[in-house]
Amino acid sequence: MVRRRVPPATLALVAIGLAAGGLWWWAVLRLLLVPGETGPVEGAVAAGGWGLSLLPVHVAASSGRPGVVARHITRASRRRRWGAGSGPS
């Protein structure tokens, strides 16, 4: 069995992500189970996490150079059309 060493920065990011996710779930469950005892902190945490989930996941990082559009290369190929068929639908 080959063991790979995971960089400490990666472990720290995973730990931060798990802690943030746990905090969000705590706020949401508290809002659902005991709504009379919750405060603005729980509401802000729940709304903030929900708002983050609405960010578009298709946004990719640019190349870093201003004015240069990132090109996305995929292995999927378009089906070739032979003859005079209908246009793309």
Side-chain angles (χ1 to χ4, degrees):
M1 177 171 167
V2 177
R3 292 186 179 216
R4 294 188 312 167
R5 183 170 167 83
V6 179
T10 302
L11 290 176
L13 286 174
V14 168
I16 290 170
L18 288 173
L23 183 67
W24 183 80
W25 275 110
W26 168 77
V28 168
L29 289 175
R30 191 157 155 84
L31 280 169
L32 290 175
L33 298 176
V34 283
E37 297 180 14
T38 58
V41 174
E42 287 93 348
V45 169
W50 179 76
L52 284 176
S53 71
L54 297 178
L55 288 175
V57 294
H58 64 275
V59 175
S62 67
S63 65
R65 295 183 296 175
V68 176
V69 177
R71 291 177 39 180
H72 301 282
I73 299 173
T74 179
R75 291 185 181 173
S77 60
R78 300 180 106 179
R79 191 175 71 177
R80 295 185 181 179
R81 295 185 175 271
W82 301 103
S86 64
S89 52

